[in-house]
Amino acid sequence: MRKLSSLTLPWPTDWAELFGAERPLIVEIGFGYGQFLLHLAQQHPDANVLGIEIANRCLTHVEAAIDRRRIANARVVHSTAETALHHLFQPATINQLHINFPDPWFKKKHGHRRLMQRDTLDVMVNRLKPGGRFYLATDIIEYAQMSADLLAATPGLDNLMLTPWANEMPGRVPTRYEGKAARQGRESYYFAYRRNDQPPPAVPAVKELPMPHMIVHSPLSLDAMFHAFTPAQHREGDTYVSFLYAYSGRNVLLLEVFVKEPTIDQHVAFLLSERAPHEFSLRLSTMGHPRSTPGLHAAARLLGNWLTSLHPDARVVTEMVKDED
Ligand SMILES: C[S@@+](CC[C@H](N)C(=O)[O-])C[C@H]1O[C@@H](n2cnc3c(N)ncnc32)[C@H](O)[C@@H]1O
């Protein structure tokens, strides 16, 4: 089975093509050790069941179980929920979305990393089909209260229950975490919503661009540039670019950079090589499957600024880098 990741899958992905069948799409985010996901696949043989998870050990475990049990309608993808929801799915394509016991570290100050927050919920609503279902379970009362408020303020979703949440969900197969919570005497809170016919929240599409590439003229040598390198952090709007390390090779520098954009984090390397005397080419290394987002173009532009700042006669000769909007 080919390993799937949001860095290597097409944006957006044609799920019918990937599963080899046009069927309703059921998605579980953060499936952990996968009991619930595999049960979904067995319960819905007529659906494509997709799990999204960031933890490698969970992915390996569930990939092996899918293989061993020859479950043809389940696949798992290595991705954060945010990146998958933004980049892999088209609007109105998901029939059921399940989130079970997210964010066990829930603290108010971690708000920006929380799965249940306005922006992420808006993408989920955008990706659900009219009539589609949204299910959430948590064992943290503060998380339940926060989610109830958020869901009540979501015009695209209707509560399927008469109360904000239920404390039992008959017929449910407990997840690993849920079983542990029950054994430790913690109560769980279950939510069930239906996507209605209200217009979907607007979600800006992030376009992939041609790979950034720049030619820089500089009187300096690669060695001088290497010694001038210092780690630095930059911010452009809601994109953060960190220059981490420089590595020196034969006629080449490798510049390790971390780029954080609202929908994706990428850890990439740029290659700086001398293609003619005093003429340097700056381009992305293919290491780690970089996706050419506006954030990577911002990183290339910032590296170009850094290179030209090192000498008064240094200048950019040609660039294929998207300007700031
Ligand atoms: C507390 S565990 C619950 C696992 C499983 N759902 C269960 O109930 O047993 C939370 C899971 O969500 C995953 N996770 C957390 N944040 C995530 C994100 N932003 N995107 C995808 N998975 C995430 C974690 O790796 C972990 O496996």
Side-chain angles (χ1 to χ4, degrees):
M1 191 168 66
R2 188 166 65 92
K3 308 252 178 213
L4 305 177
S5 141
S6 53
L7 287 179
T8 50
L9 282 166
W11 290 359
T13 296
D14 181 341
W15 297 111
E17 190 189 358
L18 188 128
F19 279 94
E22 181 85 53
R23 293 187 288 224
L25 187 59
I26 300 180
V27 177
E28 186 185 356
I29 288 171
F31 54 78
Y33 286 89
Q35 291 93 330
F36 192 87
L37 185 82
L38 298 182
H39 180 74
L40 277 176
Q42 280 162 345
Q43 204 182 21
H44 300 279
D46 53 346
N48 293 330
V49 176
L50 188 71
I52 312 285
E53 178 55 67
I54 42 171
N56 264 315
R57 63 184 186 289
C58 296
L59 286 151
T60 310
H61 180 88
V62 177
E63 275 161 351
I66 291 173
D67 258 357
R68 201 174 48 246
R69 289 156 63 174
R70 297 181 199 279
I71 303 176
N73 64 328
R75 298 300 304 267
V76 293
V77 175
H78 187 204
S79 180
T80 67
E82 296 78 1
T83 298
L85 287 164
H86 276 277
H87 295 281
L88 302 183
F89 298 97
Q90 310 233 42
T93 49
I94 299 178
N95 294 70
Q96 283 182 27
L97 194 51
H98 297 261
I99 306 179
N100 290 312
F101 303 89
D103 311 317
W105 57 86
F106 177 63
K107 299 246 168 52
K108 284 209 162 68
K109 66 180 178 178
H110 288 156
H112 62 289
R113 281 198 262 142
R114 193 186 302 151
L115 204 50
M116 283 297 287
Q117 57 172 297
R118 182 79 271 152
D119 290 353
T120 313
L121 183 58
D122 279 351
V123 201
M124 298 194 224
V125 175
N126 180 290
R127 295 334 189 203
L128 275 170
K129 275 190 177 172
R133 300 292 200 256
F134 173 83
Y135 299 102
L136 168 71
T138 179
D139 62 328
I140 302 169
I141 184 65
E142 292 91 341
Y143 203 92
Q145 275 155 351
M146 178 276 298
S147 301
D149 293 346
L150 198 59
L151 288 160
T154 304
L157 291 177
D158 295 334
N159 193 348
L160 287 168
M161 301 187 294
L162 297 174
T163 50
W165 62 70
N167 289 107
E168 278 177 17
M169 207 47 127
R172 200 182 135 92
V173 167
T175 69
R176 181 162 156 147
Y177 187 92
E178 188 172 1
K180 204 159 113 190
R183 284 193 299 280
Q184 292 174 353
R186 286 199 307 280
E187 225 174 348
S188 290
Y189 312 96
Y190 302 98
F191 296 77
Y193 277 72
R194 176 184 171 277
R195 174 77 176 98
N196 56 30
D197 295 327
Q198 293 283 324
V203 173
V206 184
K207 273 214 309 244
E208 264 193 278
L209 305 163
M211 287 290 175
H213 184 210
M214 189 181 282
I215 306 293
V216 177
H217 171 91
S218 175
L220 294 180
S221 65
L222 274 178
D223 197 47
M225 293 172 188
F226 173 64
H227 284 102
F229 181 89
T230 46
Q233 263 145 32
H234 302 269
R235 179 179 173 184
E236 278 197 2
D238 46 17
T239 297
Y240 297 82
V241 177
S242 305
F243 296 172
L244 300 176
Y245 303 102
Y247 306 89
S248 172
R250 190 185 288 252
N251 298 327
V252 68
L253 289 190
L254 193 135
L255 304 163
E256 191 179 329
V257 175
F258 183 73
V259 181
K260 185 169 182 57
E261 296 173 77
T263 64
I264 188 166
D265 293 352
Q266 295 195 78
H267 198 155
V268 299
F270 282 86
L271 291 171
L272 183 67
S273 54
E274 190 161 13
R275 58 172 220 168
H278 304 301
E279 213 172 85
F280 299 88
S281 151
L282 178 72
R283 64 194 153 82
L284 259 176
S285 157
T286 52
M287 218 160 60
H289 299 289
R291 299 301 284 251
S292 187
T293 55
L296 289 203
H297 278 248
R301 199 171 47 248
L302 289 162
L303 283 170
N305 294 348
W306 167 68
L307 288 168
T308 53
S309 74
L310 297 178
H311 194 282
D313 295 336
R315 64 184 192 284
V316 172
V317 183
T318 56
E319 58 183 312
M320 213 174 85
V321 172
K322 192 180 176 293
D323 279 338
E324 262 175 281
D325 283 328

